[in-house]
Amino acid sequence: MTPPPSTLTPEPLLTLTPEQQTAVGAPLTPLLLVAGAGAGKTTVVGRRILHVVEKNLARADEVLGLTFTNKAAHHLKKVVREVLGPDAGVTIGTYHSFGASLVADNLLELGLDTASRVLDHAESWQLLFAVFDEFRFERRRTLSPQLLLRDALNLASRCADHLVPIDVVLADSIDLMANARWKGMKETAAMRAELCQVVAAYQRRKKERNLLDYGDQIALAVQLLTDNPAVAEECRRQHRVVLLDEYQDTNFAQRRMLQLLYPASGEVSGAPAITAVGDDMQSIYGFRGAHLLNIFKFTEHFPPAATLPLQTTFRFGPALVELANRIQGQVSEALPKKLEAAPGAPATKIECFLAADDASEAEAIAGDLAGRGVPWAANAILCRKRRLIGPIVVALLEHNVPVEVVGGSGLLSRPEVVDVVAWLEVLADPSLAVPLLRILQGPEYRLGLRDLAALARHMRTMRERAGDGDIALIDAAGEVDQVPDLSDDARARIESFCARRAALASAADSQTLVTLVETVVRETGLWAATTPVEGENLLRFLDLASHFDPVEGESGLRAFVEYLQLLTDAEEDLAEAHASGTDAVQVMTIHQAKGLEFPFVYVPGLAGSKGPSRIFPDSRSGENALGNSSALPWWLREDEGIPFPNDAASKSEIDEFIKMRRIEEEWRLLYVACTRAQNQLVCSAAHWYRGALEPQGPSPFYEFIRDQADIVTERFSQEPAEVAPHVVAMQSQRDAAVASASAGAASAGNYVAPVAPVPVLPTGQLRFDGSAAVGQGGPARAAPSALSVTALVTYARCPKEFYWSVVRPRPRRASGAARVGTQVHRWIEERSGRQLTLIEPEADVLLDGPDPDELPAEPGVVARLKQSFLASVWAALDPVRVEAPFTLVAGGHVVRGRIDAVYERDGRLELVDFKTGRLPSAGDQSASVQLDLYGLAAVDTWRADPDRIRTTYCYLRADRPPVVESVDWTAATLDKVRADLSASLDAVTGGRFGATPGAWCGRCDFQSFCPAGKSWLRATMEA
């Protein structure tokens, strides 16, 4: 996503306030900078690095900068380059990426296999789900695998965050089962003991399969540094000065890693040159393991440490400064600081309003934005909970206000993707009713409720007749001619669906997973009906299918469907596509907004004073180990303040303490939300929200904002409706349905608008390769209509190889060179936007048994290819896009691919493809095809100016600097590429698959049965 202009407001680089100047020039001994919102903390970090380098206190390559997120690391890197120049050697990364690099460089010292890889969240679920039946439970209140595995993985994550072995948790649980002070505590301990067996099995299976997860990266780094002091000493020599950004977000394990690297004065010579910057009022990631004690006790953890404030904010005016200070006043555990507005800061307007219901609240916000107009990206709507987003988006669209919903886990909920998944589920298990109903009620088949009810009645009749309760709705669809009370249109549509399902089921038996998904997308008409953004989402889903490689079992359709369900249950971060660079209102959660700023900010949903529908604040806590078996007990980890069970007067005392701590975190979240605004802040609430049985009313947060009458204006305050609005709406819909049914009873119509019938396609005419049915003069087998860039490159080199690779695929040899290339490309992708300088391994510790057929086979080849990249001009540049997917439509074909990296360089948009194999042979007509398609994609998909495009191959060499071949485009180049692509696609469609022999025949997998290739090789040898 391209950040809106409002997030790119430059912080002051030239003029520093006195407190900033003091922080920049402070001695290189432990220092904590307590920085308020908008106080220019990243600028201070950058200028402190400049000060260190200019005063010869350390070289640039001896400086290490760490922060919490990739986004923050990218911003820090940008600031560092502004002050030190583009060739700065400072190492910038996240806490986790730094820990991961330590682990990757020392796998052997940790006793880990060099093929170890990191699991994503869904793969962690999959690893446990495969052996769920092996576990035994007696105390768990639910045996739902999804809920239980979520709890187990949460406990495993907390153990890693706090470096608590699972056997310690098990021993504590067993002890509490016998000796706990309260009965409920005993029951929780018993359930936690059962979770411990799941966590232990998870850790065991990871070790057996050379797998790591996110938490392991830091925990293993701590183990490495504890057991190998020499590694810590070497790292200290390499990075003499370290600056820690967003320090309030670190967890216990990350802090221990830093303490081992930079111990207190006296343990090593001299005080550690460590500077931490943070704001305890912006500590909002407790649910991810963030440990607030780290910033509270920095001076104890890294003595002798000084503390300096950064209190002047450059983001907003005096009114919002005062509100931020008053919010901080509600938090008892807050470091002392008081924000001040910068001299001459413009006023910031603060308003609030109370609406009758969520629809009225959304309407007020949308009307406000529509009246203000462009630029839309100057506006952000920050929601405490995702369920607030839906009504707001609807209201904005009704006002023709463009909107972008930012953030993760949206791909699998997109309608176009849900439709594909529904087809895959029906193909994997035809008895599933929910996906079948989605398809039948969808835009292609459009079955109404009356016809679906008739189909369901026939299913029940079939069950009664056969005495078989396993008969499903799909079976009734197969007897469509025998279903009474079914309209003729519905009968034709069901027959069409059954024919298509049968053909797709046949294809599923013979096609690979990704080919099957492509087939479903194409043959069901889903691709043809997409917008550009929806098409991008389908491409991302196809990419997900192409990379599906389960850690357990086979990689077929059933396993993939199960994996998709695990992705949903695990809330995996799969972002949907957005129209990048468009001017749109940004809608996101408050957590996603941290680090951003906008001229106009809206914070809805300050509602819920009681009951389970509390929105903001939500004081419910899942971290109370007395009642939550997945919570790591605070008495087993470093914590302060919460009484030990045996020290508390009663259980309610502990419950109340944890509740108040939770409320204080909600106050911090409100602080973060409000301090994103620059010119105007609008907070709002409503009485009614969907799903509630009674009005929630304004929350204490709304009342607090409203009561600041000297700086806040309340626009209006509506009364709640007597009946929930959604109940009224449901009744209205029911009345309309009854009226429609009555009016159409005589004609036995459905409860849908009349539509033209869908033509029934005979099964014999259904084809999945994009060609016409075989007939006179037609080719025996045609190429598919969806082609990859690789396929077109192959066609340009040798159409016969294309035929055996794409049209009638034959088995191919495994390629060691491909594995090498994959490793290097993955490293370049992970490196992008993360670090200026990467600490390189001495040997190739990630290459799994190298056997490349085009590269030297000795150890270290991948490491030398990485060094070749580091010698290139692109090593010091940040790409504007990495692994960017695209799709082209031309000549009746869909061409898809992805570009390695896109850079802005020399005034051009440079599309770079990094190669690890040999240079193309003389006469190879495919040499330019890949980059030609990349350039065409940039013009057609991104609307790039062809006169500003440069396409480049960078051939990385294991034994010398890279070889670079570039072409600067013009309009004439574009015309030639279009003509060449059209000619190639015409040839593919015409079935022209003759052999083009050449030097590549010696490496062709199909030479053994290719007469032309054999002849060329024989003639070459004789010559």
Side-chain angles (χ1 to χ4, degrees):
M1 181 193 74
T2 300
S6 52
T7 68
L8 301 179
T9 303
E11 294 173 324
L13 282 173
L14 299 178
T15 304
L16 298 180
T17 65
E19 64 181 8
Q20 288 179 323
Q21 292 174 358
T22 300
V24 166
L28 284 184
T29 54
L31 173 66
L32 173 65
L33 300 178
V34 181
K41 61 184 180 64
T42 307
T43 294
V44 170
V45 170
R47 294 295 290 272
R48 186 160 169 79
I49 292 174
L50 177 63
H51 171 79
V52 167
V53 175
E54 286 185 335
K55 298 298 182 181
N56 294 318
L57 302 175
R59 299 191 311 271
D61 61 355
E62 293 178 317
V63 179
L64 170 66
L66 300 178
T67 187
F68 185 60
T69 64
N70 286 328
K71 178 178 66 177
H74 184 79
H75 181 49
L76 179 57
K77 182 191 302 184
K78 177 176 177 289
V79 171
V80 169
R81 284 182 172 164
E82 287 176 353
V83 298
L84 287 181
D87 298 325
V90 180
T91 300
I92 304 292
T94 65
Y95 296 103
H96 255 89
S97 70
F98 181 73
S101 69
L102 287 176
V103 173
D105 291 352
N106 297 276
L107 289 172
L108 297 179
E109 286 83 351
L110 287 164
L112 299 175
D113 193 282
T114 56
S116 297
R117 70 177 183 89
V118 179
L119 295 164
D120 63 31
H121 201 177
E123 289 175 326
S124 296
W125 282 61
Q126 186 185 27
L127 193 64
L128 283 175
F129 194 81
V131 292
F132 180 76
D133 290 341
E134 296 179 9
F135 303 126
R136 297 293 178 264
F137 306 100
E138 297 178 359
R139 303 296 189 97
R140 294 286 304 185
R141 293 188 177 91
T142 175
L143 287 181
S144 168
Q146 289 80 6
L147 294 177
L148 191 142
L149 297 185
R150 180 199 63 192
D151 288 351
L153 291 174
N154 181 71
L155 180 58
S157 177
R158 288 296 170 268
C159 286
D161 290 342
H162 293 276
L163 304 177
V164 178
I166 193 61
D167 56 351
V168 171
V169 182
L170 178 60
D172 177 76
S173 300
I174 293 173
D175 177 68
L176 290 176
M177 289 166 62
N179 304 310
R181 185 174 174 186
W182 301 292
K183 180 180 178 181
M185 191 176 174
K186 291 183 178 182
E187 183 65 23
T188 300
M191 289 190 290
R192 186 176 294 119
E194 292 181 342
L195 277 186
C196 287
Q197 68 169 321
V198 184
V199 175
Y202 172 61
Q203 294 175 345
R204 187 167 55 249
R205 293 174 73 79
K206 282 191 299 178
K207 186 174 183 179
E208 292 168 352
R209 290 157 178 77
N210 302 316
L211 299 170
L212 307 174
D213 65 14
Y214 191 66
D216 290 332
Q217 294 175 305
I218 299 296
L220 287 171
V222 171
Q223 177 186 329
L224 171 72
L225 298 172
T226 302
D227 297 341
N228 299 273
V231 175
E233 177 62 28
E234 174 60 28
C235 192
R236 265 194 303 280
R237 282 198 298 267
Q238 189 171 6
H239 301 293
R240 294 176 47 231
V241 177
V242 60
L243 296 102
L244 309 174
D245 195 12
E246 304 287 358
Y247 190 67
Q248 76 280 348
D249 294 326
T250 54
N251 62 33
F252 172 81
Q254 289 165 336
R255 191 251 293 170
R256 282 297 303 144
M257 176 182 72
L258 294 169
Q259 283 183 298
L260 290 166
L261 287 170
Y262 301 96
S265 178
E267 298 181 35
V268 294
S269 59
I274 183 169
T275 300
V277 188
D279 181 3
D280 58 294
M281 282 302 296
Q282 296 189 63
S283 178
I284 59 175
Y285 290 116
F287 68 96
R288 290 184 181 174
H291 202 45
L292 196 54
L293 280 181
N294 285 351
I295 193 168
F296 285 161
K297 291 186 169 292
F298 179 86
T299 56
E300 297 179 21
H301 296 153
F302 298 95
T307 300
L308 293 175
L310 293 175
Q311 300 180 130
T312 302
T313 180
F314 300 89
R315 182 177 297 160
F316 39 79
L320 189 47
V321 164
E322 183 60 30
L323 179 62
N325 287 331
R326 293 177 188 180
I327 292 174
Q328 178 174 296
Q330 301 298 307
V331 179
S332 61
E333 291 185 334
L335 293 174
K337 62 180 174 297
K338 185 177 181 180
L339 278 180
E340 298 176 357
T348 302
K349 186 178 182 180
I350 309 174
E351 297 179 306
C352 64
F353 66 84
L354 176 60
D357 55 62
D358 57 347
S360 300
E361 181 184 28
E363 173 64 26
I365 294 173
D368 209 21
L369 295 177
R372 182 178 300 123
V374 296
W376 303 113
N379 305 278
I381 303 172
L382 312 181
C383 300
R384 174 64 182 87
K385 296 182 183 293
R386 281 199 166 271
R387 61 187 174 98
L388 297 173
I389 293 177
I392 290 172
V393 170
V394 169
L396 290 171
L397 295 178
E398 288 177 348
H399 282 266
N400 296 316
V401 175
V403 58
E404 178 176 355
V405 179
V406 178
S409 301
L411 181 66
L412 295 182
S413 63
R414 291 291 307 172
E416 60 274 14
V417 175
V418 173
D419 287 336
V420 177
V421 174
W423 271 105
L424 296 177
E425 288 175 333
V426 167
L427 293 173
D429 185 356
S431 68
L432 296 176
V434 172
L436 176 60
L437 288 172
R438 179 177 180 88
I439 295 170
L440 294 179
Q441 289 184 291
E444 184 170 9
Y445 299 105
R446 306 186 300 282
L447 260 67
L449 299 178
R450 185 182 296 277
D451 288 322
L452 288 173
L455 200 62
R457 286 194 297 271
H458 187 67
M459 176 189 69
R460 289 194 295 270
T461 300
M462 292 174 65
R463 288 178 177 177
E464 294 169 357
R465 187 171 60 219
D468 185 357
D470 291 334
I471 290 178
L473 197 63
I474 192 72
D475 300 309
E479 294 187 358
V480 67
D481 289 337
Q482 303 177 38
V483 179
D485 304 324
L486 200 62
S487 68
D488 292 340
D489 285 349
R491 202 179 307 276
R493 292 172 189 152
I494 294 173
E495 287 176 347
S496 177
F497 161 76
C498 289
R500 176 159 289 164
R501 190 196 69 81
L504 288 170
S506 177
D509 292 336
S510 58
Q511 294 182 346
T512 63
L513 176 64
V514 67
T515 304
L516 174 63
V517 177
E518 288 179 338
T519 298
V520 169
V521 168
R522 184 175 64 251
E523 296 301 324
T524 58
L526 293 173
W527 177 262
T530 59
T531 65
V533 170
E534 291 169 344
E536 177 72 13
N537 283 326
L538 290 180
L539 285 175
R540 292 185 184 207
F541 184 76
L542 283 166
D543 193 52
L544 180 67
S546 68
H547 288 88
F548 175 59
D549 183 19
V551 295
E552 290 285 339
E554 300 296 327
S555 57
L557 174 60
R558 285 182 177 272
F560 183 59
V561 168
E562 181 181 276
Y563 177 71
L564 295 176
Q565 182 59 52
L566 291 175
L567 279 174
T568 302
D569 293 335
E571 299 180 354
E572 188 69 43
D573 185 18
L574 292 175
E576 62 196 87
H578 300 287
S580 61
T582 58
D583 185 22
V585 173
Q586 309 288 296
V587 181
M588 66 188 80
T589 66
I590 298 172
H591 288 91
Q592 290 170 327
K594 187 170 178 291
L596 303 180
E597 57 186 27
F598 301 86
F600 306 96
V601 169
Y602 295 79
V603 184
L606 274 67
S609 58
K610 57 184 178 179
S613 298
R614 289 168 290 195
I615 300 175
F616 197 16
D618 185 355
S619 60
R620 293 168 294 179
S621 174
E623 292 297 316
N624 189 342
L626 298 184
N628 181 358
S629 59
S630 69
L632 179 65
W634 64 86
W635 55 87
L636 298 181
R637 56 183 171 87
E638 181 186 72
D639 206 325
E640 289 187 6
I642 307 179
F644 275 44
N646 291 336
D647 297 335
S650 64
K651 181 176 178 293
S652 60
E653 178 186 345
I654 295 177
D655 293 339
E656 185 62 24
F657 187 95
I658 293 176
K659 177 182 177 181
M660 293 308 298
R661 177 175 282 189
R662 173 66 173 168
I663 285 289
E664 293 205 337
E665 183 166 328
E666 292 288 291
W667 278 109
R668 293 188 181 96
L669 198 58
L670 180 65
Y671 178 93
V672 169
C674 293
T675 56
R676 301 309 94 195
Q678 296 170 307
N679 302 338
Q680 183 177 13
L681 168 69
V682 180
C683 298
S684 61
H687 289 285
W688 283 102
Y689 288 87
R690 275 160 223 215
L693 300 178
E694 59 181 6
Q696 288 92 342
S699 75
F701 281 9
Y702 180 84
E703 293 170 345
F704 172 84
I705 297 289
R706 180 193 60 198
D707 290 346
Q708 314 307 310
D710 58 324
I711 54 177
V712 178
T713 301
E714 186 175 45
R715 291 182 181 179
F716 59 83
S717 179
Q718 297 175 342
E719 295 297 321
E722 294 184 2
V723 181
H726 70 276
V727 175
V728 175
M730 290 172 59
Q731 184 61 51
S732 298
Q733 292 173 357
R734 187 180 297 110
D735 293 344
V738 171
S740 174
S742 300
S747 60
N750 288 300
Y751 301 150
V752 294
V755 292
V758 176
V760 179
L761 300 176
T763 304
Q765 294 182 12
L766 285 176
R767 294 191 56 82
F768 302 102
D769 55 12
S771 67
V774 176
Q776 290 185 351
R781 180 75 67 91
S785 58
L787 297 172
S788 67
V789 168
T790 301
L792 287 177
V793 171
T794 303
Y795 187 84
R797 183 170 56 242
C798 178
K800 179 62 72 176
E801 183 184 358
F802 171 89
Y803 182 78
W804 294 122
S805 302
V806 178
V807 184
R808 298 195 66 177
R810 291 294 182 92
R812 309 195 68 160
R813 292 174 295 176
S815 171
R819 290 198 300 273
V820 171
T822 299
Q823 285 287 354
V824 174
H825 279 76
R826 184 183 298 120
W827 173 79
I828 293 174
E829 179 186 359
E830 291 173 349
R831 184 182 183 278
S832 301
R834 187 184 67 179
Q835 290 185 317
L836 288 170
T837 301
L838 189 73
I839 302 171
E840 288 302 314
E842 301 247 338
D844 176 20
V845 297
L846 296 177
L847 187 58
D848 181 13
D851 183 24
D853 51 12
E854 296 179 356
L855 291 166
E858 67 270 16
V861 62
V862 169
R864 290 197 296 279
L865 287 170
K866 292 178 182 179
Q867 291 297 335
S868 182
F869 170 81
L870 292 173
S872 74
V873 66
W874 300 283
L877 299 178
D878 276 338
V880 295
R881 298 175 187 260
V882 178
E883 287 292 310
F886 66 84
T887 178
L888 294 169
V889 179
H893 287 80
V894 175
V895 180
R896 63 185 182 87
R898 57 179 58 242
I899 302 173
D900 277 7
V902 183
Y903 298 86
E904 288 278 3
R905 192 167 75 92
D906 300 335
R908 287 183 175 268
L909 190 71
E910 187 169 22
L911 317 174
V912 183
D913 191 78
F914 296 101
K915 298 290 189 184
T916 56
R918 67 180 66 198
L919 274 68
S921 305
D924 187 346
Q925 297 299 312
S926 70
S928 66
V929 172
Q930 185 172 356
L931 290 184
D932 287 349
L933 292 172
Y934 288 179
L936 184 58
V939 173
D940 289 357
T941 304
W942 305 334
R943 301 293 184 262
D945 180 358
D947 290 320
R948 287 191 61 248
I949 291 176
R950 173 184 295 150
T951 53
T952 298
Y953 282 126
C954 176
Y955 294 91
L956 303 177
R957 307 287 84 190
D959 54 352
R960 58 187 182 275
V963 177
V964 176
E965 297 178 354
S966 297
V967 174
D968 288 347
W969 279 43
T970 64
T973 310
L974 177 63
D975 292 340
K976 181 180 183 303
V977 167
R978 288 196 192 280
D980 290 346
L981 176 61
S982 178
S984 293
L985 292 177
D986 287 345
V988 168
T989 302
R992 295 196 285 274
F993 301 132
T996 305
W1000 43 91
C1001 291
R1003 302 186 300 274
C1004 180
D1005 292 323
F1006 315 121
Q1007 60 177 266
S1008 61
F1009 48 86
C1010 178
K1014 287 181 178 180
S1015 297
W1016 189 93
L1017 289 171
R1018 188 180 307 111
T1020 302
M1021 293 177 65
E1022 292 173 354

